[in-house]
Amino acid sequence: MEKDMTKGRPLPVILKFILPLIIGNIFQQLYNMADTIIVGRYVGSDALAAVGSTGTIMFLIVGFAQGITAGFSVLTAQRFGAKDNEGVKSSVANGILLSLIFTVLLSALSMLSMHTLLKLMNTPDNIFQDAYTYIMIISAGLGATIFYNLFSSYLRAVGNSKIPLVFLVFSAALNVILDLVLIINVKMGVAGAAYATVISQGVSAILCLIYIYIRIPSLAPNRRHWKLHGQESRNQLAVGIPMALQFAITASGTMIMQAAINLFGSDAVASFTAASKLQNLVTQGMMAMGQTMATYSGQNFGKGDIGRIRQGVKAALGTCVVYALVAAVLVCLLLKPALGLFFTGGVDMNSMLPWAKTYIYMSVIFYIPLSSIFVFRNTMQGCGYGFLPMMGGVAELIARLVVALISMAVGSYALACFCDPAAWLAAAIFTGVSYLFVMKDIRKKYENPAMASMK
């Protein structure tokens, strides 16, 4: 089912679109949590720390994949908003071909550099081998992640946020089943968790592709579309590469933060990992709002309705403030019981809880600026502006780098935890100012009848 987001009151349109995304994102986090919970309870806290220590590397690799594929779908959303049906099909085929190229490049690069990367991140010796095993399997199966995100992005580009949810729920259930079988019954340890993730995402990708060809003919390319077009490739890469680099730059900052956390030992890493998983779960609505605004702004930009984009941003910001407050309360209330899910009774929870509390209590204060980043950044990206959102990632990187280096120099875990809030605040200010500039720039171009087409 397609959804035209250029009609109707912005807030109801946004809320109707975002609800399946929130549920889908939560399920995605749940099956990521399933890996860590089952590993922590059935393999041990060191294995949990090993999986957790690769979290920022996964964010780098998977984030780059998500960014590049989301960028490829921006052109699709704009052409859908402009009612260019032939252009939609052409952009889908071109994006798939580009994604095949990036799958090979990203998989090879990540696998070749992984050993060195883990060493640079101060990964503790007692968890190094498990961490290396886990992340190498994820890297080898990167194609499953790339194509699930690509096909889901295409469905969202035409306003369909429900079907990716259906396939994601199925994939989450499959991931948990495979975790239980491979980790508990087959005794594969962290390798079992990695294989479960890759297989479940691969199944989701295949289901999305089948659905597109059967039920969404407007997205299904014909034979004549299957070739790389120079202009379309340039348009998609012009948006996709900055979006991917924005993810990569942000992930580089979180890797620096993880390197600082790693200095405090496997207990600190395990506790931080568990707390981060809980926080990622309750903040999924913020990311869903970003995904929503990318589609909303892309379609309305394609139509040329700039005033409607502004109305949507105001509605989204108001919603995000309410959500951020609720999320802050929830994560504080759920922290202690959630930690119990990750560890067996043999682990001293009293020694784990202070590490987790330090990070969570410091982070919740900055949830409102965190939520605003997704609104501003994804709105600009939906309008085809990639450079300024990418520079927002640079602002995050600089903030994390400065705070992480100070924390490592003085040996302060609290300062290491402050890396995230500092990055969120820096990026929120930068992207907010950038959004005002972009809206002003778009208005000038639309007022100029001689403007070059950006569609």
Side-chain angles (χ1 to χ4, degrees):
M1 180 180 176
E2 301 170 0
K3 174 64 177 176
D4 188 346
M5 300 184 76
T6 64
K7 302 175 182 177
R9 291 175 54 223
L11 182 58
V13 168
I14 288 170
L15 292 180
K16 185 176 181 180
F17 187 86
I18 198 176
L19 287 177
L21 289 178
I22 293 175
I23 297 170
N25 286 356
I26 288 174
F27 266 97
Q28 190 160 25
Q29 289 301 312
L30 285 174
Y31 83 65
N32 289 338
M33 286 178 67
D35 287 348
T36 51
I37 290 173
I38 295 171
V39 166
R41 294 186 69 85
Y42 292 98
V43 186
S45 60
D46 280 355
L48 171 63
V51 173
S53 69
T54 66
T56 52
I57 301 178
M58 280 189 66
F59 181 53
L60 171 63
I61 298 171
V62 176
F64 193 95
Q66 289 175 334
I68 199 79
T69 54
F72 292 166
S73 69
V74 166
L75 183 62
T76 306
Q78 292 177 355
R79 288 179 172 175
F80 180 79
K83 312 302 181 191
D84 180 5
N85 295 329
E86 189 69 13
V88 167
K89 291 175 180 284
S90 181
S91 71
V92 169
N94 208 77
I96 291 174
L97 294 175
L98 288 175
S99 294
L100 284 171
I101 296 171
F102 274 95
T103 295
V104 175
L105 293 176
L106 288 176
S107 296
L109 180 61
S110 59
M111 294 178 74
L112 289 172
S113 61
M114 198 54 62
H115 191 277
T116 302
L117 199 54
L118 287 171
K119 286 291 186 183
L120 289 174
M121 291 180 61
N122 303 318
T123 305
D125 292 338
N126 61 317
I127 64 174
F128 186 91
Q129 188 55 50
D130 276 348
Y132 182 74
T133 298
Y134 181 83
I135 197 62
M136 283 293 283
I137 295 171
I138 296 293
S139 299
L142 189 57
T145 301
I146 287 177
F147 282 97
Y148 167 70
N149 281 286
L150 180 68
F151 298 144
S152 295
S153 294
Y154 282 146
L155 287 168
R156 287 192 293 267
V158 297
N160 190 330
S161 60
K162 293 181 181 179
I163 293 303
L165 166 62
V166 173
F167 294 144
L168 187 57
V169 170
F170 174 82
S171 177
L174 177 62
N175 183 78
V176 172
I177 293 170
L178 290 173
D179 273 334
L180 294 172
V181 172
L182 298 178
I183 295 174
I184 300 175
N185 295 336
V186 187
K187 307 293 184 184
M188 292 182 67
V190 297
Y195 281 121
T197 298
V198 171
I199 293 170
S200 59
Q201 288 187 338
V203 170
S204 290
I206 293 170
L207 291 174
C208 280
L209 180 61
I210 293 172
Y211 181 86
I212 286 172
Y213 268 90
I214 293 176
R215 300 298 299 273
I216 312 289
S218 62
L219 283 175
N222 300 321
R223 180 177 296 182
R224 66 181 180 277
H225 299 118
W226 287 106
K227 59 182 178 180
L228 283 174
H229 298 270
Q231 186 57 49
E232 292 202 351
S233 296
R234 285 189 290 272
N235 288 341
Q236 289 179 314
L237 291 172
V239 180
I241 288 180
M243 288 180 73
L245 289 176
Q246 176 261 309
F247 271 102
I249 292 167
T250 300
S252 299
T254 61
M255 289 168 63
I256 295 168
M257 176 182 177
Q258 184 70 56
I261 297 291
N262 287 348
L263 292 176
F264 296 91
S266 57
D267 279 355
V269 174
S271 302
F272 173 78
T273 297
S276 297
K277 292 293 184 182
L278 174 62
Q279 177 166 271
N280 288 340
L281 182 64
V282 300
T283 57
Q284 285 308 301
M286 303 175 191
M287 299 181 188
M289 181 60 81
Q291 293 169 309
T292 299
M293 292 309 295
T295 299
Y296 176 89
S297 61
Q299 289 191 12
N300 284 284
F301 181 83
K303 185 181 179 181
D305 194 344
I306 309 307
R308 184 173 171 81
I309 295 177
R310 289 180 176 274
Q311 293 171 6
V313 168
K314 290 179 182 178
L317 288 174
T319 304
C320 281
V321 169
V322 175
Y323 184 91
L325 295 174
V326 174
V329 173
L330 272 178
V331 76
C332 290
L333 292 176
L334 295 175
L335 179 59
K336 187 173 182 179
L339 286 183
L341 295 174
F342 290 89
F343 304 105
T344 61
V347 175
D348 182 10
M349 292 298 297
N350 290 328
S351 66
M352 296 289 189
L353 194 57
W355 298 107
K357 280 184 175 180
T358 300
Y359 175 65
I360 291 297
Y361 290 173
M362 192 175 295
S363 296
V364 296
I365 301 171
F366 296 90
Y367 276 3
I368 290 177
L370 171 62
S371 63
S372 72
I373 297 171
F374 295 100
V375 176
F376 294 133
R377 182 169 63 201
N378 288 75
T379 297
M380 290 187 286
Q381 289 169 340
C383 294
Y385 286 73
F387 179 74
L388 287 173
M390 181 184 73
M391 294 307 295
V394 173
E396 288 188 56
L397 172 62
I398 293 172
R400 280 197 179 93
L401 175 61
V402 171
V403 177
L405 290 176
I406 295 173
S407 75
M408 287 188 278
V410 302
S412 170
Y413 175 76
L415 266 179
C417 291
F418 187 67
C419 288
D420 272 348
W424 300 340
L425 189 59
I429 295 171
F430 185 91
T431 55
V433 174
S434 298
Y435 163 76
L436 296 176
F437 169 80
V438 165
M439 288 296 103
K440 184 177 180 180
D441 185 59
I442 292 174
R443 188 172 65 250
K444 286 181 179 178
K445 289 177 178 178
Y446 267 93
E447 289 171 354
N448 179 7
M451 75 171 259
S453 174
M454 298 178 67
K455 303 170 190 164

